[in-house]
Amino acid sequence: MKTSNTRPHGIMFHHFYDEKHIKGQGAISQDDLAQIIEHYQQNHHLLHAREWLEKAVQGSLSTNDVCLTFDDALLCQYEIALPVLESFDLSAFWFVYSSVITGGTENLEIYRKFRTVCFDNIDDFYESFFQTVASSKYQKTVEESLKDFSADEYLSQFPFYTNEDKRFRFVRDIALGVKAYNEIQNVMIREWKIDIPSFSSDLWMNKQQVFELHSKNHIVGLHSHTHPTALASLAAKGQRNEYETNYDTLNQLLNSASVTMSHPCNSYNNDTIEILNDLEIKIGFRSNMKEHPLTNLEFPREDHANIMERIAA
Ligand SMILES: [Zn+2]
């Protein structure tokens, strides 16, 4: 994947695992993170978040200037990745969706932990999921839309997904949609008699931890309030509400106005860009390295899963 060498970009991290945080799909360890950093340092400049931001705003980033970014305010990032960054004397961008640091929960993250903890492997989960779909009122709809599904074409920009990963995501995002998918998941979770508050207590950072990142010279930025998976499908008013609530919550916590952001699930449109401009956001990040007109609200990012594959190759 040569593109990563030709443009300034961010590296995008999500989940980490250790003895406490379970190893879900795509999760990496402290050693993996150190390896990625060392790998990048051979051919790129890994900049401090503040330096990257300044250069990006001035338009003076070099092609091999890279920054580290962490999405979703995950506790595993704070507990596992932060010590590694400190050992390398690096700082990063942390894109925080604010509902979860103010006592809320978010379904996708809970569902992710559920399928990791309660099933031996991801295929067992998929099997149980498709069984639940088959015995639900959505059985016909899903069967119909799967006729349009092609594992070769769907999500082809994410080479690390297996065909079953893609089939699951297709049914989740295209055939069912948010509401019906949540219904199916909730049926499964009820069968396991899971207590959501205690089950989700190790998923997200709290306010103090986010504040600590800010006070240690990392940059905390926007990522919407509730993390809709298809933000761009919301009307402008709904999008504005997402970002203004996110902005206000972080502003109140950090006593500092956010000027950076990343697009949750890479979902945005012209309305989003207008809202971010109104909030005077200076730089934003996408979730992939796809060739794309480079505006300051659309910097590319490389997924850590792709980097791991390159290192292993
Ligand atoms: Zn996210």
Side-chain angles (χ1 to χ4, degrees):
M1 205 167 286
K2 287 199 185 66
T3 47
S4 62
N5 297 320
T6 57
R7 288 175 297 163
H9 64 278
I11 305 176
M12 176 176 69
F13 294 100
H14 281 101
H15 296 88
F16 294 83
Y17 72 90
D18 61 5
E19 309 80 46
K20 173 183 166 184
H21 295 279
I22 39 124
K23 188 181 179 185
Q25 248 185 329
I28 62 171
S29 68
Q30 276 196 325
D31 285 350
D32 294 333
L33 174 59
Q35 216 188 343
I36 288 175
I37 290 173
E38 283 164 359
H39 175 80
Y40 255 78
Q41 281 177 335
Q42 291 168 15
N43 299 308
H44 296 82
H45 295 299
L46 273 185
L47 302 186
H48 275 284
R50 296 219 171 268
E51 192 186 353
W52 208 92
L53 170 60
E54 261 169 48
K55 285 180 130 187
V57 170
Q58 293 163 356
S60 64
L61 283 170
S62 308
T63 47
N64 60 352
D65 284 342
V66 170
C67 62
L68 304 173
T69 75
F70 296 83
D71 281 9
D72 299 348
L74 301 173
L75 183 61
C76 61
Q77 298 168 344
Y78 175 89
E79 293 186 337
I80 300 171
L82 183 59
V84 177
L85 299 191
E86 289 176 342
S87 75
F88 281 91
D89 189 28
L90 284 166
S91 57
F93 292 93
W94 304 74
F95 298 115
V96 169
Y97 65 107
S98 32
S99 60
V100 290
I101 61 161
T102 52
T105 59
E106 191 273 332
N107 283 333
L108 281 191
E109 206 58 58
I110 291 171
Y111 299 161
R112 182 181 195 279
K113 181 176 173 185
F114 168 66
R115 63 182 187 249
T116 310
V117 173
C118 299
F119 299 87
D120 283 343
N121 56 55
I122 194 68
D123 289 321
D124 282 354
F125 166 77
Y126 290 151
E127 199 185 314
S128 170
F129 173 79
F130 285 117
Q131 269 169 19
T132 312
V133 171
S135 57
S136 77
K137 63 180 175 195
Y138 301 107
Q139 183 255 337
K140 276 235 140 52
T141 334
V142 169
E143 215 174 79
E144 268 306 303
S145 42
L146 270 173
K147 287 176 186 163
D148 299 328
F149 170 71
S150 152
D152 286 340
E153 285 161 34
Y154 188 64
L155 298 177
S156 58
Q157 69 271 39
F158 298 102
F160 46 87
Y161 285 151
T162 65
N163 285 356
E164 278 302 283
D165 291 340
K166 291 181 185 180
R167 202 164 97 97
F168 167 68
R169 280 166 174 75
F170 180 87
V171 170
R172 180 186 72 187
D173 300 333
I174 310 292
L176 289 171
V178 177
K179 200 170 153 279
Y181 172 73
N182 288 357
E183 262 179 66
I184 299 287
Q185 280 289 327
N186 293 340
V187 167
M188 294 173 76
I189 286 178
R190 256 198 311 278
E191 278 170 7
W192 282 81
K193 302 194 191 329
I194 284 166
D195 174 53
I196 297 292
S198 74
F199 189 75
S200 63
S201 64
D202 64 352
L203 290 180
W204 296 285
M205 295 180 213
N206 59 33
K207 281 184 176 179
Q208 288 71 27
Q209 289 158 333
V210 174
F211 183 80
E212 188 193 322
L213 292 172
H214 172 73
S215 65
K216 283 181 167 173
N217 238 357
H218 293 266
I219 295 182
V220 175
L222 307 183
H223 198 53
S224 82
H225 184 60
T226 67
H227 205 287
T229 46
L231 186 116
S233 69
L234 300 182
K237 199 174 163 217
Q239 293 191 30
R240 188 171 290 276
N241 191 27
E242 280 290 334
Y243 277 113
E244 286 183 353
T245 309
N246 189 202
Y247 182 93
D248 291 343
T249 308
L250 293 182
N251 199 357
Q252 203 173 19
L253 170 64
L254 307 173
N255 204 10
S256 161
S258 294
V259 294
T260 68
M261 63 85 58
S262 71
H263 300 282
C265 304
N266 209 38
S267 182
Y268 64 97
N269 59 17
N270 291 339
D271 291 333
T272 327
I273 299 295
E274 195 180 312
I275 292 158
L276 296 172
N277 281 327
D278 288 348
L279 291 171
E280 299 185 347
I281 301 305
K282 292 180 181 148
I283 64 165
F285 290 92
R286 291 162 49 81
S287 310
N288 59 44
M289 292 295 290
K290 241 174 137 178
E291 290 296 338
H292 193 272
L294 183 64
T295 71
N296 273 3
L297 292 176
E298 295 165 290
F299 278 100
R301 287 190 298 172
E302 183 69 290
D303 194 304
H304 73 64
N306 290 331
I307 302 168
M308 292 295 291
E309 277 199 353
R310 277 207 303 276
I311 294 178

